[in-house]
Amino acid sequence: MIKKFLFLASLALLLISATKIGKRKTAKIEVIKKEISLPKNVDYNIPYLKRNFIAFKEAVAFKESQGRYKVVNTLGYLGKYQFGRSTLKRFKIYDTSAFLRSHDLQEKAFVALCSVNKWILRKDIKRSVGKTINGIKITESGILAAAHLSGAGNVKKYLRSNGNFRFSDAYGATIQQYMRRFSNYDVSNIKADRKATV
């Protein structure tokens, strides 16, 4: 009799717990369905970044330093845009510590360098934009980014050799990679100026 009672009691407990588990699973499934289902008329307000000069310079900065102003790499290149000391001297910036501390100075130096490179490469931009070299459509922003990487002279060699001239920096980045990665940004607001200053 006791065995029968224990058997029935354990069976009853098993049924009760199974019912509770079933209710929990059903409740979880309904919660998941509620989380997944979307209203029918939703106004998605997703920000869209235009491919303008600001987007261009931030993309270059992220590639160069992940956008960090105080970075000095293993080769001694400085700041958000990884300037070399010789480039900084061209803009009469001699105090590299002050340069690293000044966000404004770094931003102005990048704009000035783009203006100078655009002036140096003005004829090559006119001749090459729209062409395809080594499977890459040449754009003005791609040219300016490549000039930031390798210098305007190396970009001239690349374009004038129809892509036969090769350049890569110490970390393996190439003109072609920059031409592709930074293509189709609107950099028309940068004026070609060989005397650009910060």
Side-chain angles (χ1 to χ4, degrees):
M1 182 84 173
I2 293 177
K3 286 183 181 178
K4 203 175 195 181
F5 174 76
L6 288 175
F7 174 75
L8 290 173
S10 61
L11 186 62
L13 287 173
L14 189 64
L15 287 172
I16 291 169
S17 66
T19 305
K20 286 182 182 178
I21 290 171
K23 285 180 183 176
R24 281 189 217 141
K25 283 184 180 176
T26 305
K28 283 183 182 178
I29 289 170
E30 286 182 22
V31 168
I32 290 170
K33 282 182 183 176
K34 285 180 184 176
E35 288 177 8
I36 292 174
S37 63
L38 298 172
K40 290 182 181 176
N41 296 320
V42 176
D43 178 22
Y44 295 105
N45 191 9
I46 299 171
Y48 172 73
L49 297 175
K50 294 181 180 177
R51 290 181 72 86
N52 58 15
F53 180 71
I54 293 170
F56 169 75
K57 75 184 182 71
E58 291 306 319
V60 171
F62 188 80
K63 172 70 172 116
E64 295 293 324
S65 70
Q66 295 181 330
R68 296 176 294 165
Y69 286 99
K70 295 184 179 181
V71 171
V72 179
N73 77 6
T74 57
L75 300 172
Y77 288 87
L78 306 151
K80 182 177 178 181
Y81 301 100
Q82 294 293 280
F83 282 97
R85 284 175 169 78
S86 60
T87 302
L88 293 177
K89 286 178 186 174
R90 190 249 175 261
F91 296 114
K92 298 183 170 112
I93 299 170
Y94 304 104
D95 185 348
T96 55
S97 297
F99 177 75
L100 286 171
R101 287 191 305 272
S102 175
H103 298 187
D104 188 48
L105 189 57
Q106 290 186 43
E107 297 298 335
K108 287 178 179 177
F110 183 76
V111 172
L113 181 61
C114 286
S115 292
V116 169
N117 284 339
K118 195 167 184 176
W119 185 84
I120 294 168
L121 292 161
R122 66 195 181 283
K123 293 176 184 173
D124 297 278
I125 288 170
K126 193 172 186 176
R127 279 192 292 253
S128 302
V129 167
K131 289 183 178 178
T132 300
I133 298 176
N134 295 332
I136 300 165
K137 187 171 182 183
I138 305 302
T139 65
E140 187 175 341
S141 60
I143 290 172
L144 290 180
H148 184 77
L149 169 74
S150 67
N154 286 324
V155 174
K156 274 186 181 191
K157 290 176 190 173
Y158 176 83
L159 294 171
R160 292 178 183 184
S161 71
N162 201 33
N164 290 323
F165 173 77
R166 302 292 175 161
F167 172 90
S168 64
D169 71 1
Y171 299 110
T174 67
I175 288 175
Q176 286 191 168
Q177 289 170 342
Y178 270 56
M179 289 267 193
R180 179 180 287 116
R181 184 172 191 158
F182 300 106
S183 67
N184 292 319
Y185 286 90
D186 179 5
V187 293
S188 60
N189 64 320
I190 295 298
K191 302 301 175 208
D193 181 3
R194 74 183 170 108
K195 295 181 179 179
T197 59
V198 292

